[in-house]
């Protein structure tokens, strides 16, 4: 398998991730049923939960981490993929339009991007 087979193609994936944020923002978490923010939709996509997005708390619980640890770690990965980064920025833009900012975004801002290989 080549690198291009294993990594998301930004040109085709970006609109899909942005559309998922549009559709999933405010939808219920697949586990606890609490409303999701757009950032949690992106976290879910990155972690392979495209069909059943979960909130940061449920994702973290399933991985044995705190929500802050999970968000910071995954955010560093998001920063290196244009499609996921576009989804994260779109979620932030939606919140800015509403005059709000979710806790997930606040933790993600503090995440230091990992150096590129």
């Amino acid at each position: 398998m080549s690198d291009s087979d294993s990594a998301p193609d930004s040109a085709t994936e970006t609109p899909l991730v942005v559309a998922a944020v549009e559709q999933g923002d405010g939808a219920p978490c697949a586990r606890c049923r609490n409303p999701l923010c757009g950032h949690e939709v992106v976290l879910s996509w990155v972690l392979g939960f495209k069909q059943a997005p979960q909130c940061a708390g449920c994702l973290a619980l399933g991985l044995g981490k705190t929500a802050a640890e999970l968000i910071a770690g995954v955010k560093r990965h998001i920063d290196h993929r244009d499609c996921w980064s576009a989804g994260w920025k779109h979620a932030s833009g939606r919140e800015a339009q509403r005059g709000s900012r979710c806790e997930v975004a606040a933790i993600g801002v503090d995440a230091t991007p990992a150096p590129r290989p």
Side-chain angles (χ1 to χ4, degrees), residues 24-98:
D25 189 9
C29 169
R31 288 184 73 183
C32 71
R33 311 306 292 169
N34 285 328
L36 298 170
C37 73
H39 299 96
E40 290 169 320
V41 174
V42 177
L43 290 174
S44 292
W45 267 61
V46 172
L47 295 172
F49 292 93
K50 291 179 183 180
Q51 301 304 317
Q54 297 178 27
C55 69
C58 288
L59 290 167
L61 183 65
L63 294 171
K65 298 180 180 265
T66 67
E69 290 170 331
L70 174 81
I71 295 163
V74 175
K75 179 63 168 72
R76 286 190 289 272
H77 190 67
I78 288 168
D79 290 340
H80 294 291
R81 299 277 189 226
D82 291 340
C83 56
W84 293 329
S85 182
W88 190 272
K89 289 174 185 170
H90 186 69
S92 294
R94 288 175 57 89
E95 288 180 358
Q97 287 177 339
R98 291 190 297 255

